Amino acid sequence: MLEIGSGTGQHAVYFAAALPQLIWQSSDRAENLPGIRAWLDEAALPNTPAPLEFDVAGTWPAMRFDAIFSANTLHIMAWHEVELLFARLPTITTDDASVIIYGPFNDEGRYSSESNAAFDQWLQARGAHMAIRDVGAVDALASRVGFNLIGNIAMPANNRCLVWRRGCA
Ligand SMILES: C[S@@+](CC[C@H](N)C(=O)[O-])C[C@H]1O[C@@H](n2cnc3c(N)ncnc32)[C@H](O)[C@@H]1O
């Protein structure tokens, strides 16, 4: 499992402990790696290799993963980075890989809650490139590279968990 934009590394530690059958490869931009290393070192789990330096707008790892996970990142990345992320997914995934994306999403241009509308305004006041994305727009990027949406799960606090599978119609 490659996690993109691991942030602090706390999700890596939580999921790797709960799913010991997986190797959980955390990653993020260089500035976040020391914090991730601190979380991984403290937990000392056998299935969390050192975090990868990975910016989707930079150099991509020459590795293939069975699954990709990312939480709370698509509204932080610029849209051209989201496009790049999906366009290049086939280069780092196995033939039947899964992609799991967690976060707030809009549906056909509509906010799912007042709190998400307020969050979107907060984001855009801090950076015009940031915005809550539309499920349909993200799914269009995924289907263009052969990933089919197999799950769109409501999560607490008006978040969603979107699940795609490669090569599964
Ligand atoms: C709101 S934080 C979420 C962190 C963590 N996943 C969580 O849910 O707590 C957004 C993360 O996306 C990462 N990020 C933003 N742009 C990125 C990019 N172009 N490539 C890789 N990661 C990026 C940031 O460094 C940051 O760790």
Side-chain angles (χ1 to χ4, degrees), residues 3-8 10-11 28-29 31-32 54-57 70-73 75-77 81:
E3 181 183 11
I4 298 174
S6 297
T8 60
Q10 61 183 311
H11 291 150
D28 209 314
R29 292 166 149 173
E31 64 265 26
N32 286 331
F54 178 40
D55 183 322
V56 302
S70 196
N72 299 313
T73 51
H75 57 277
I76 302 293
M77 294 178 189
E81 292 174 332

Side-chain angles (χ1 to χ4, degrees), residues 10 25 47 53 55 59 63 65-66 80 87 118 142 147 154 157-158 164:
Q10 61 183 311
Q25 176 63 68
N47 55 337
E53 181 178 341
D55 183 322
T59 305
M63 300 166 78
F65 298 89
D66 296 316
H80 72 87
F147 283 82
N158 302 302
W164 290 268

Side-chain angles (χ1 to χ4, degrees), residues 7-167:
T8 60
Q10 61 183 311
H11 291 150
V13 166
Y14 178 85
F15 284 119
L19 300 165
Q21 71 275 24
L22 297 184
I23 296 171
W24 194 278
Q25 176 63 68
S26 54
S27 75
D28 209 314
R29 292 166 149 173
E31 64 265 26
N32 286 331
L33 298 190
I36 298 171
R37 279 193 205 102
W39 272 82
L40 299 189
D41 288 350
E42 187 178 326
L45 296 167
N47 55 337
T48 53
L52 281 181
E53 181 178 341
F54 178 40
D55 183 322
V56 302
T59 305
W60 279 56
M63 300 166 78
R64 288 196 185 259
F65 298 89
D66 296 316
I68 308 290
F69 172 78
S70 196
N72 299 313
T73 51
L74 299 196
H75 57 277
I76 302 293
M77 294 178 189
W79 179 247
H80 72 87
E81 292 174 332
V82 178
E83 291 179 313
L84 199 53
L85 166 57
F86 280 89
R88 299 197 67 183
L89 273 182
T91 68
I92 59 159
T93 49
T94 53
D95 289 347
D96 60 350
S98 301
V99 173
I100 303 153
I101 307 276
Y102 169 91
F105 284 95
N106 290 340
D107 191 13
E108 296 185 354
R110 286 189 300 274
Y111 294 111
S112 63
S113 64
E114 285 183 16
S115 63
N116 275 358
F119 180 52
D120 200 38
Q121 283 170 9
W122 182 87
L123 284 170
Q124 287 177 35
R126 274 150 192 81
H129 65 285
M130 294 192 280
I132 293 181
R133 310 301 174 189
D134 202 273
V135 172
V138 176
D139 184 40
L141 300 179
S143 64
R144 208 173 286 163
V145 290
F147 283 82
N148 298 292
L149 189 65
I150 59 168
N152 179 350
I153 304 155
M155 303 294 284
N158 302 302
N159 287 300
R160 305 204 73 83
C161 193
L162 304 179
V163 184
W164 290 268
R165 192 86 187 260
R166 190 175 188 189

